[in-house]
Amino acid sequence: MRAIIIYQPGGPSVLQLKERDQPTAGAGEVLIKVHAAGVNRPDIAQRKGNYAAPPGAPIEIPGLEVAGEIVAIGEGATRWKEGDKVCALVAGGGYAEYVVAPAGQCLPVPAGWDFIQACTLPETVFTVWHNVFQRGHLQPGEHLLVHGGSSGIGITAIQLAVATGAKAYATAGTDVKCAAVMALGATVCVNYRTTDFVERLRGEGIDVILDMVGGDYIPKNINLLREEGRLVFINVMRGHKEMLDALAVMQKRLTITGSTLRGRDLKFKAALAAEVEKQVWPFIEQGKFKSVIYKVFPLADAAAAHQLMESSEHVGKIVLQVI
């Protein structure tokens, strides 16, 4: 099969299209003929040598989310049959013509969606549902602030917050990005390059903050949250060591949490997939959640896709089309 290989840590040019052996589905797994794969920030980190694949995942082939057709079924994967159209969360190997996925981490392609749209769901929806709703406990009527509102995670969090009856706020780096985020349902989007988001959003009563920035945003988030607020980290792009006002945390009775998804065990991911299908798929069917795709690249152009992601020019998802 054809696959994108990280031949050594480095810039986008280290991604090369090579021939590799087709994987085989083991017990509890399915083999997927990949039609499209999502590009995500963890793929960038892996390419740079900063995010190693977990045990059992392909070491040199990146890619955490795919959509395609099941072509083989391992023992015990009883829900699925050959020919089923699915999207799946995988621990690696998605930038390829075939990938093995745990059966419990596969979900049906939503009705009316194609493979390119469907491949944008698993990594972002799983991450947002777990962190915003399971860990952050966002409730209807509450206010969510999403940093990086125009990212794949951001557009997912905003749409799901609005769909569940919460209000969404966001930060983004340009007025164009802010306009796109507002079109998805955000009440306010602050251009952080021109406006102090703490001053602009003070008084809005922010209950939950989803932060992928870290660094100097940490004390700003503590300052901005209302009493009983929840701060949830999913990345720390500006750094993970920053002064934290513990007294403010105590006085406001704040909760600080966060998580990474890739290294979690199969049982956890299967349970999360089941809840995502139960809670999020109805929103898709009702038209309350849509896929926002910025650009689609052929598999061979994975390096260009990574260059685009690192430029942060995009609004929404970047996709590799395999077939």
Side-chain angles (χ1 to χ4, degrees):
M1 69 173 186
R2 296 181 307 144
I4 293 294
I5 304 301
I6 303 172
Y7 77 87
Q8 66 180 33
S13 64
V14 305
L15 298 176
Q16 297 189 355
L17 188 65
K18 299 288 186 180
E19 290 288 332
R20 286 295 184 267
D21 291 337
Q22 182 177 307
T24 302
E29 297 177 333
V30 298
L31 179 65
I32 299 172
K33 184 177 183 180
V34 179
H35 285 245
V39 178
N40 293 283
R41 289 280 175 186
D43 304 339
I44 305 292
Q46 180 174 346
R47 190 202 73 220
K48 292 180 176 180
N50 299 326
Y51 194 31
I59 296 174
E60 60 181 358
I61 306 174
L64 302 176
E65 60 182 355
V66 300
E69 300 173 69
I70 292 177
V71 294
I73 300 172
E75 182 181 355
T78 55
R79 175 179 179 180
W80 306 107
K81 64 182 185 298
E82 292 182 17
D84 281 347
K85 298 178 179 180
V86 297
C87 55
L89 182 73
V90 294
Y95 292 13
E97 291 183 310
Y98 294 89
V99 69
V100 166
Q105 292 167 213
C106 297
L107 292 173
V109 170
W113 283 44
D114 59 28
F115 289 120
I116 290 176
Q117 293 170 309
C119 83
T120 68
L121 290 170
E123 172 68 10
T124 53
V125 173
F126 281 47
T127 297
V128 168
W129 191 262
H130 176 56
N131 286 283
V132 173
F133 296 94
Q134 293 183 336
R135 303 191 74 84
H137 302 289
L138 183 68
Q139 301 297 312
E142 288 191 326
H143 295 183
L144 169 70
L145 170 61
V146 182
H147 293 305
S150 61
S151 66
I153 291 287
I155 62 173
T156 299
I158 289 162
Q159 291 188 86
L160 290 182
V162 173
T164 57
K167 269 190 172 182
Y169 299 78
T171 62
T174 69
D175 290 341
V176 170
K177 288 182 177 181
C178 281
V181 168
M182 296 281 287
L184 291 172
T187 299
V188 175
C189 183
V190 181
N191 182 341
Y192 64 82
R193 299 186 189 277
T194 61
T195 305
D196 184 330
F197 71 82
V198 176
E199 292 303 316
R200 173 61 184 86
L201 297 176
R202 196 185 305 279
E204 294 289 348
I206 302 299
D207 298 285
V208 180
I209 297 178
L210 182 65
D211 186 17
M212 60 190 80
V213 180
D216 61 340
Y217 274 39
I218 296 174
K220 294 178 180 181
N221 291 332
I222 298 295
N223 186 358
L224 185 57
L225 280 167
R226 71 191 305 176
E227 292 184 352
E228 307 290 350
R230 288 85 73 195
L231 173 57
V232 187
F233 292 103
I234 57 170
N235 200 350
V236 281
M237 295 173 66
R238 290 195 184 182
H240 63 280
K241 295 181 179 180
E242 187 73 22
M243 292 296 293
L244 185 148
D245 187 345
L247 181 60
V249 173
M250 292 187 291
Q251 289 173 334
K252 290 185 177 183
R253 302 175 300 282
L254 303 180
T255 299
I256 301 176
T257 185
S259 74
T260 59
L261 180 59
R262 190 179 190 185
R264 298 298 296 269
D265 61 39
L266 298 181
K267 183 178 179 181
F268 170 84
K269 291 178 182 177
L272 179 56
E275 183 164 342
V276 163
E277 184 174 9
K278 178 181 177 181
Q279 301 292 341
V280 178
W281 257 230
F283 293 141
I284 296 173
E285 294 168 358
Q286 296 160 15
K288 295 180 179 180
F289 183 95
K290 64 180 182 179
S291 177
V292 180
I293 297 170
Y294 186 77
K295 191 168 184 178
V296 179
F297 291 86
L299 178 64
D301 291 345
H306 276 221
Q307 287 176 334
L308 175 59
M309 173 157 281
E310 289 185 278
S311 76
S312 294
E313 295 176 1
H314 59 293
V315 176
K317 295 285 291 188
I318 300 169
V319 171
L320 296 177
Q321 186 170 14
V322 181
I323 297 177

